[in-house]
Amino acid sequence: MMQEGLDDGPDFLSEEDRGPRAVNVDLQTDATLQVDISDALSERDKVKFTVHTKSTLPNFKQNEFSVVRQHEEFIWLHDSFVENEDYAGFIIPPAPPRPDFDASREKLQKLGEGEGSMTKEEFTKMKQELEAEYLAIFKKTVAMHEVFLCRVAAHPVLRKDLNFHVFLEYNQDLSVRGKNKKEKLEDFFKNVVKSADGVIVAGVKDVDDFFEHEKTFLLEYHNRVKDASIKSDRMIRSHKSAADDINRIASTLYTLGTQDSTDVCKFFLKVSELFEKTRKIEARVAADEDLKLADLLKYYLRESQAAKDLLYRRGRALVDYENANKALDKARAKNKDVLQAETTQQVCCQKFEKISESAKQELIDFKTRRVAAFRKNLVELAELELKHAKGNLQLLQSCLAVLKGDT
Amino acid sequence: MTAWEPPDSRRRSLHGYHCQAKMAEEREPPPLGDVGQADFVEVEDGEDLFVSTVTTIEQLSPTTPEPSCLPAEDISTNSNGPKQEILLDDDQEDLFAEATEEVSLDSPEREPILSDGPSPAITPVTPTVIITPRAEASMFDRSLDEDEDTEENGDTFDMQITVSDPEKVGDGMNAYMAYKVTTKTSLNLFSRNEFSVKRRFSDFLGLHSKLASKYMHIGYIVPPAPEKSIVGMTKVKVGKEDLSSAEFVEKRRSALQRYLTRTVTHPALLKDPDVIQFLENTELPRAVSTQALSGAGILRMVNKAAEAVNKMTIKMNESDAWFEEKQQQFENLDIQLRKLHASVESLVCHRKELSVNTASFAKSAAMLGNSEDHTALSRALSQLAEVEEKIDQLHQEQAYADFYLFSELLGDYVRLIAAVKGVFDQRMKTWSKWQDAQLLLQRKREAETKLQYANKPDKLQQAKDEIKEWETKVQQGERDFEQISKNIRQEVGRFEKQRVKDFKVVIIKYLESLVHTQQQLIKYWEAFLPEAKAIA
């Protein structure tokens, strides 16, 4: 009696256009290369993504094809970009986060264990909600993996990368295993060294105003995005908790309504019905805020880190270049190993200039993308909030009208 | 011989009790610094008796003896308004205008900051706790006496009680809160049409105690007084003028008002001289027997335990299905109301949390907007921060509505139902007494027959006298039982009517508060949308 189907089904992303689900990035998709994730399958401990490509490029054997990929293979691709010296001057699209269904699975399991202690209706309701939550997380992880691929496909140089083509086309398992313990440890130390180095490199004042400004800006921006991301997560969690409470209130009101023999039973039943609907809306509000706000912030947290990495690489190259200059001067003064010093210096110079050139454009593009993404998401956020508030209002007012008419 | 050695605190309080008994007639304000006054010992019923509050005295240094007045809005003006339908859409603007003004969210000084770029002047939002919940509470308070209740004899019930102006009197652990009780009425029972008195919490408890002892055993449902709270009061006494103690005082003030209103709504209780005296008399003898650790308090607890045991042993032959049915109904109602109350309390908690987290996010968004170097986006982010700040206020107000309208009502009814159950228990006791009398009469008669053959004329006469005595007692017992049964039927009928009314009124008010919140949300987001679209 309660389900009058608001937006039935937890199809959270259905409101977006079914086209490229690049919610956080404003990309020009052109016909030469279009990538998307057409399907996904969630198994016990892994997710299988079906990567679908449409391309007119001659590199590929066919114009349209699909392969199945797992999360580790995405990471492999990302890492191969990072390790590629030629790409040092680009903002490497951030890797998608690992699909994490642990929390959701745990909850479903707990629900199964507690099945005996609740009524059938309560159990079914909770099961539905948890399944909806699971589905939402699932959709999110699909979207994030897709965004990564779309970013690569949209990048003029990265889209031509050989590994990328293999990733898209090779229909066998790439046999990319996850890093073993030793490699993970190596990574850890590498990171420690890198961050220490990063501090030194960042301390070097840049001659170029543009980069100096970008350095300061990105550092502050990255930290603040991180903070905003954490706070928005907390806010959304409270919202969900409140919606859960309203759910319980609705159930108890229903019981009260059925038990009561007086006039007020009608009130209880009507309000119970109302709360069932409003809490669905509240849950939607939380979910939409999650998508439009929290995810946006998380994404730009990762992207700003990638931009910082780019600046670091450039800074490193600058330091190397300056050191090479000093070495060359020394060599010339001593008149020893001059040729070698000259070659080194030339190499460093070239590397530095190559990075600087592309870095500038990359950072400008980053800003453009960021502004566009924020605009799109903030507008959609406001529109959704309005839609839900109006929906809530309408439900509340019609219920009130009925109740007031009764008294 | 006592099995335990009472700690010093108890001895001192008992001593203090004796002192006060003498002082009762004089009714002086409690002398400052007299540790003999043990009126701070207010423990929750059933709590550990030996929570030693003496240690707290020793640990605390006495505050400067200045009875401080908490900022209090004059409630009386709000509640005495014409009894019209409360349309939250319009009235709300006035009630909440103060709240929003305090926070100056809409103040024009904000605007120039956005386009410049220097650090945002987001002043931490100081929630005006004192004002907002009052507004909500007063809306609820009105509900109880707003609709005119037609009495059986045709008179319209015209009486309004407000509890206001909590004022701290005294200092340190001897301090207490004095509340102003204002009565406005046209009933002939009272000598004037409008009058006020000052009362303290223990006075209310004393009133309830008297009424309960007078009327519960004949089946009247006496509204329960608000609960004691040692933690809350200690904070206030210590002089902590922070948010939580202000909230505590407001919660208590509101509860006291509802308590009095319910009491006078009961036709018999209204006419009770103790009630009239409570409302009218400037001076009232100190209700000392309400202290938990006093002699009377201990006695009460012992009695309660004994009653609980008795209840289990009395097995009544219920001849009247109505009573059985009603008892079951109230049992079910009790369970569901408790469950609902718990859920609503959880909602209040989460909404407060949401408010805090939203405020925190708003600040963070403002910082982000500040560091954003694209001007239009920066402005939009600052706008977002402002919207979220307003929304956090909204959540806080809604949390107060959740609490004062919904949660407190449920709490009140959980306690009221306990009183109803108590009345049913009294009926059982009355029945039991009647049965016992019958049994005893039977025995006396048997004794008499025995004596008739024993030829002891004087004892025989005594036996006959006793039989007469017990016959009257049996008759009285039967009459009492019938009377209490009749009263309970009446009371339950009245109670149910009141319950239906209360819930209907509160539910509507609560939904109206939700409507208001949504309307405000729409307003805020509609204002923001063009700003977001303007990002170029």
Side-chain angles (χ1 to χ4, degrees), chain A residues 315-361:
Chain A
R316 177 82 252 153
L318 177 60
V319 167
D320 288 344
Y321 180 36
E322 284 177 353
N323 288 347
N325 274 341
K326 288 193 199 128
L328 180 60
D329 287 343
K330 243 205 229 158
R332 283 199 179 131
K334 286 189 189 160
N335 208 0
K336 190 177 167 200
D337 294 322
V338 173
L339 190 60
Q340 190 186 36
E342 271 178 355
T343 340
T344 318
Q345 191 256 22
Q346 279 229 344
V347 163
C348 284
C349 175
Q350 271 169 4
K351 184 174 170 194
F352 172 68
E353 279 173 359
K354 182 171 170 217
I355 292 182
S356 284
E357 199 181 302
S358 56
K360 189 163 190 168
Q361 189 54 48

Side-chain angles (χ1 to χ4, degrees), chain B residues 185-428:
Chain B
T185 177
S186 61
L187 296 174
N188 294 332
L189 283 167
F190 301 93
S191 43
R192 290 165 287 167
N193 277 3
E194 185 171 336
F195 45 91
S196 320
V197 292
K198 280 271 189 199
R199 294 284 176 254
R200 55 185 291 185
F201 187 66
S202 51
D203 294 336
F204 289 82
L205 295 180
L207 175 67
H208 172 257
S209 167
K210 287 194 199 131
L211 293 177
S213 59
K214 276 200 249 183
Y215 296 108
M216 289 269 291
H217 69 91
I218 54 172
Y220 287 175
I221 301 171
V222 176
E227 287 176 343
K228 302 180 197 176
S229 163
I230 193 167
V231 173
M233 262 331 273
T234 312
K235 269 203 218 157
V236 174
K237 289 179 204 274
V238 166
K240 237 174 144 216
E241 300 227 355
D242 67 350
L243 218 63
S244 63
S245 48
E247 276 183 24
F248 170 79
V249 170
E250 171 53 30
K251 184 175 160 188
R252 176 163 278 194
R253 182 211 66 81
S254 173
L256 290 174
Q257 184 164 316
R258 292 194 308 269
Y259 163 67
L260 280 184
T261 313
R262 285 209 176 88
T263 306
V264 298
T265 316
H266 193 297
L269 296 180
L270 172 60
K271 302 197 181 85
D272 182 286
D274 280 321
V275 171
I276 296 176
Q277 190 186 52
F278 181 92
L279 292 173
E280 274 191 331
N281 288 22
T282 331
E283 303 278 321
L284 209 63
R286 267 296 305 287
V288 295
S289 63
T290 56
Q291 292 159 20
L293 284 196
S294 64
I298 306 268
L299 197 64
R300 249 207 313 282
M301 285 197 199
V302 170
N303 279 340
K304 258 200 182 164
E307 269 181 38
V309 172
N310 275 344
K311 209 165 98 169
M312 294 192 284
T313 52
I314 296 178
K315 188 76 179 77
M316 183 166 152
N317 298 339
E318 188 56 78
S319 51
D320 195 337
W322 185 93
F323 283 91
E324 209 168 308
E325 197 185 295
K326 278 297 167 192
Q327 267 188 293
Q328 188 56 51
Q329 268 178 19
F330 280 115
E331 195 60 43
N332 292 344
L333 190 59
D334 188 34
I335 294 172
Q336 294 306 319
L337 283 182
R338 277 177 203 271
K339 211 162 137 194
L340 189 59
H341 189 214
S343 297
V344 175
E345 280 188 325
S346 174
L347 178 64
V348 171
C349 178
H350 285 135
R351 249 209 251 274
K352 281 196 186 152
E353 200 181 271
L354 177 59
S355 164
V356 165
N357 287 343
T358 309
S360 163
F361 173 71
K363 287 200 186 89
S364 188
M367 298 283 277
L368 184 64
N370 239 51
S371 53
E372 173 59 63
D373 62 355
H374 185 275
T375 349
L377 178 56
S378 169
R379 187 167 50 235
L381 284 172
S382 303
Q383 295 284 49
L384 179 69
E386 274 195 23
V387 167
E388 294 289 352
E389 222 183 290
K390 288 187 198 157
I391 289 179
D392 114 64
Q393 267 299 90
L394 211 57
H395 285 314
Q396 204 174 47
E397 287 163 7
Q398 185 59 60
Y400 281 121
D402 292 345
F403 182 72
Y404 279 102
L405 286 177
F406 211 177
S407 177
E408 287 285 80
L409 175 78
L410 292 171
D412 284 352
Y413 266 90
V414 166
R415 280 197 301 279
L416 272 167
I417 289 190
V420 172
K421 287 207 233 174
V423 145
F424 276 93
D425 289 342
Q426 289 291 337
R427 178 172 171 270
M428 265 204 328

Side-chain angles (χ1 to χ4, degrees), chain A residues 122 213-214 217 220-221 224-229 231-239 241-243 245-246 248-253 255-256 259-264 267-268 271 274-275 282 289 293 297 367 370-372 374-375 378-383 385-386 388-393 396-397 399-400 403-404 406-407, chain B residues 85-87 89 326 329 332-333 335-337 339-340 343-344 346-348 350-351 353-355 357-361 363-368 370-374 377 380-381 384 388 391 395 406 410 496 499-500 503-505 507-512 514-516 518-519 521-523 525-526 528-529 532-536:
Chain A
E122 276 175 19
H213 164 80
E214 285 294 309
F217 161 71
E220 194 187 59
Y221 187 79
R224 290 190 180 177
V225 164
K226 193 190 279 187
D227 189 55
S229 171
K231 304 268 165 72
S232 77
D233 277 346
R234 267 194 220 142
M235 178 175 79
I236 290 166
R237 255 205 305 274
S238 297
H239 220 134
S241 303
D245 286 325
I246 298 178
R248 259 170 294 201
I249 291 173
S251 298
T252 318
L253 280 175
T255 316
L256 270 172
Q259 275 179 1
D260 203 296
S261 52
T262 66
D263 232 12
V264 81
F267 269 61
F268 287 149
V271 174
L274 168 72
F275 281 171
E282 289 298 326
E289 283 176 351
L293 196 54
L297 291 169
K367 182 166 170 174
R370 183 175 79 241
V371 172
F374 268 80
R375 181 188 189 283
L378 287 178
V379 168
E380 285 175 358
L381 175 71
E383 285 174 343
E385 295 267 4
L386 270 173
H388 293 318
K390 286 186 178 153
N392 251 340
L393 181 65
L396 285 166
Q397 280 174 330
C399 181
L400 257 178
L403 292 181
K404 278 186 180 165
D406 249 356
T407 42
Chain B
E85 192 66 61
I86 295 164
L87 293 166
D89 306 336
K326 278 297 167 192
Q329 268 178 19
N332 292 344
L333 190 59
I335 294 172
Q336 294 306 319
L337 283 182
K339 211 162 137 194
L340 189 59
S343 297
V344 175
S346 174
L347 178 64
V348 171
H350 285 135
R351 249 209 251 274
E353 200 181 271
L354 177 59
S355 164
N357 287 343
T358 309
S360 163
F361 173 71
K363 287 200 186 89
S364 188
M367 298 283 277
L368 184 64
N370 239 51
S371 53
E372 173 59 63
D373 62 355
H374 185 275
L377 178 56
L381 284 172
L384 179 69
E388 294 289 352
I391 289 179
H395 285 314
F406 211 177
L410 292 171
E496 288 287 83
R499 174 171 78 90
V500 166
F503 272 87
K504 279 188 180 179
V505 165
I507 284 175
I508 287 184
K509 279 218 168 65
Y510 182 63
L511 291 186
E512 284 173 346
L514 292 175
V515 163
H516 168 79
Q518 295 303 316
Q519 284 170 333
L521 273 176
I522 290 174
K523 212 168 84 177
W525 286 110
E526 269 176 354
F528 176 72
L529 189 56
K533 287 190 171 157
I535 302 171

Side-chain angles (χ1 to χ4, degrees), chain A residues 27 37 71 96 170 174 213 216 247 279 318 325-326 383 405:
Chain A
L27 298 168
I37 296 183
H71 175 74
Y170 186 62
L174 286 173
H213 164 80
T216 341
N247 196 16
R279 77 121 196 122
L318 177 60
N325 274 341
K326 288 193 199 128
E383 285 174 343

